[in-house]
Amino acid sequence: MAKHNPANERIKRAYFIYLREARRRNDASVDAVAKALARFEEATAYRDFARFHREQAVAFKRKLDEMTAARSGGRLSRPTVHSTLSALRSFFIWLADQPGYRRKISYSDADYFNLAEKDVRIARAIREKPFPSLAQVNHVLTTAPADTDIEKRDRALIALILLTGARDGAVASLRLKHLDIEEGRLDQDAREVRTKFSKTFSTWFFPVEGRARDILADWVDHLRGVLLWGDSDP
């Protein structure tokens, strides 16, 4: 059985370009759409998108309920199912307006990818996530080993996140020039830092108890004074 359809690959490539250039989607968003389309194609034996019928959408929804997640091995979560179907609905709405597909696909056909209202409510529900207490984080900071540069770095990263609440993607892309220890400020410049929605903003240190600020300051002093790193170094 073929693992791809040349006609589908061509139109998918055009759609991905549309998402990046016209809709300004980032690579992670486009990859999620590509994964949704791959799931659908596999379920339909890579049938040409031009032969799409609403019954395929209905059958695919049933198959999604039987699919398992690669990481957990359990059934796909409602948010995952919802995002997959939403990506497919948007794709087929776009496809219905493309040359070669207009007479074969109607906009209303895409609506068959919609979930039941109760499932949408479940998928969109905001759930509280467990997180460590301030006392637990401070315990880690005071007991974590700090003999090697790697250990010092890891401890300083925990201190930085505690002080600023910065996201992991942003932290991984920071440079020394973005951090002002004396002012207690982190400048998240979207030209260089991977911020959410590419927004530029400054974060002032939270007034937390413990040694977090001292640990971070010691690490910055070590980078600059011992390792001789400059402003543009990470």
Side-chain angles (χ1 to χ4, degrees):
M1 182 184 296
K3 292 298 183 181
H4 70 279
N5 182 302
N8 289 355
E9 293 301 315
R10 285 192 293 271
I11 198 64
K12 284 194 300 183
R13 191 178 304 115
Y15 185 58
F16 298 154
I17 293 173
Y18 165 76
L19 290 178
R20 288 191 179 97
E21 304 301 332
R23 299 297 301 276
R24 300 180 294 177
R25 298 287 181 84
N26 58 30
D27 289 341
S29 297
V30 175
D31 288 345
V33 173
K35 187 174 182 178
L37 287 170
R39 276 180 168 153
F40 179 74
E41 285 190 281
E42 184 177 2
T44 60
Y46 299 90
R47 182 176 298 181
D48 195 320
F49 290 143
R51 297 173 60 193
F52 173 72
H53 190 274
R54 63 191 64 172
E55 292 178 356
Q56 293 175 20
V58 174
F60 180 67
K61 286 194 289 187
R62 295 195 187 101
K63 286 190 176 182
L64 273 183
D65 287 333
E66 301 171 357
M67 290 183 182
T68 57
R71 290 184 180 180
S72 66
R75 294 290 176 86
L76 295 179
S77 67
R78 288 295 95 183
T80 298
V81 171
H82 179 54
S83 62
T84 298
L85 294 174
S86 294
L88 289 169
R89 180 178 181 275
S90 296
F91 169 71
F92 279 99
I93 287 175
W94 173 85
L95 191 63
D97 196 39
Q98 304 306 304
Y101 297 87
R102 292 171 183 164
R103 296 183 178 179
K104 301 174 182 177
I105 301 174
S106 66
Y107 296 117
S108 61
D109 287 339
D111 288 335
Y112 283 83
F113 284 109
N114 285 332
L115 269 179
E117 289 185 356
K118 68 172 185 177
D119 289 325
V120 173
R121 287 195 293 269
I122 294 173
R124 291 178 174 175
I126 298 176
R127 297 170 178 83
E128 293 292 335
K129 295 183 179 180
F131 57 88
S133 67
L134 179 58
Q136 289 173 322
V137 177
N138 277 325
H139 176 73
V140 170
L141 291 175
T142 55
T143 59
D147 299 321
T148 68
D149 283 352
I150 297 298
E151 290 172 344
K152 291 176 182 177
R153 179 206 62 187
D154 292 346
R155 191 176 65 159
L157 286 175
I158 296 172
L160 173 64
I161 294 172
L162 176 62
L163 288 167
T164 65
R167 304 172 75 242
D168 55 358
V171 170
S173 57
L174 290 174
R175 303 181 185 183
L176 278 173
K177 64 183 177 181
H178 299 130
L179 188 61
D180 190 327
I181 295 292
E182 292 185 4
E183 294 290 332
R185 188 182 74 246
L186 176 65
D187 296 321
Q188 301 194 47
D189 187 339
R191 294 174 298 180
E192 300 169 322
V193 181
R194 295 194 296 272
T195 61
K196 189 173 183 178
F197 302 128
S198 298
K199 292 183 178 179
T200 295
F201 57 95
S202 294
T203 303
W204 298 88
F205 290 0
F206 299 132
V208 296
E209 298 178 354
R211 297 191 55 240
R213 186 161 181 162
D214 292 337
I215 289 172
L216 182 59
D218 289 344
W219 174 242
V220 171
D221 288 342
H222 181 74
L223 290 177
R224 292 188 181 277
V226 179
L227 301 183
L228 303 180
W229 285 15
D231 284 346
S232 295
D233 287 318

